[in-house]
Amino acid sequence: SSESSESSRGSSSRFGICFDEAQRWAWTMDPYVGRDTHVGVGYVGSFEYVSYAVLSRLAFYAFAIAIAIAFFVVVPRDERWYTPSGSRTMYAYLLHLLVLRSYELVRDGTGLGGSMPLWASAAVSLAMMPIATSVGLMSSRCKAWTRWAVEPNLGRWLFPDDHA
């Protein structure tokens, strides 16, 4: 029976907890009532605990609004040298997984990952790959090659008579 429960959980042994279990817990938890009294403000469900939970949530919302306002304060109003690249961020967002997965397949297929020192692997993974991927995928050449996939002309496909 342990084999059947292990196979029904799928990849839970690799990640510690099955994603379905974590998702079920996240969607069914009550935000103000729980089993832990780790905040030190009375028993769970008491007025003090609920008040603390509500006030901490309101403080979080106020902080989130302040961060959003601060972000819009630093956004430039006029065009800068990086505006054309910024208009192509959807390309990097949608296509970066292809580049990273290809790199992982090449690295694992050639055995390069095991022979690289930790500092070199960190430099590639944390600096070189993100910069090269971002610059490459936000280039005008990448836009020309992949526009059909990232920004398809749905009007032409859905209403061909209007575009004849």
Side-chain angles (χ1 to χ4, degrees):
S1 105
S2 65
E3 291 179 19
S4 64
S5 66
E6 186 66 30
S7 65
S8 67
R9 286 189 291 182
S11 63
S12 65
S13 61
R14 284 187 294 190
F15 299 110
I17 185 169
C18 180
F19 177 74
D20 293 335
E21 293 171 8
Q23 189 176 19
R24 186 178 309 113
W25 173 83
W27 283 105
T28 59
M29 64 180 261
D30 190 351
Y32 301 120
V33 179
R35 286 185 229 128
D36 299 325
T37 58
H38 61 277
V39 293
V41 289
Y43 64 92
V44 176
S46 69
F47 177 76
E48 293 85 11
Y49 183 82
V50 173
S51 299
Y52 175 80
V54 169
L55 290 175
S56 62
R57 182 170 289 196
L58 289 174
F60 174 78
Y61 289 151
F63 181 72
I65 290 170
I67 292 295
I69 291 170
F71 171 76
F72 287 117
V73 165
V74 298
V75 172
R77 290 187 173 93
D78 53 341
E79 289 191 13
R80 303 292 172 117
W81 61 270
Y82 47 82
T83 301
S85 292
S87 68
R88 295 186 292 261
T89 55
M90 185 61 73
Y91 290 83
Y93 176 72
L94 292 176
L95 301 174
H96 79 279
L97 190 59
L98 297 172
V99 174
L100 296 179
R101 186 65 181 137
S102 299
Y103 167 72
E104 288 178 353
L105 289 172
V106 169
R107 183 193 64 198
D108 295 342
T110 59
L112 183 63
S115 63
M116 287 178 71
L118 181 61
W119 66 268
S121 179
V124 168
S125 298
L126 299 176
M128 294 168 56
M129 280 298 291
I131 292 169
T133 302
S134 299
V135 170
L137 292 178
M138 290 191 298
S139 68
S140 58
R141 181 168 289 158
C142 180
K143 181 178 180 179
W145 288 346
T146 60
R147 183 172 184 165
W148 61 271
V150 177
E151 298 180 73
N153 190 349
L154 295 179
R156 188 174 301 264
W157 293 352
L158 295 175
F159 309 106
D161 296 337
D162 295 343
H163 296 280

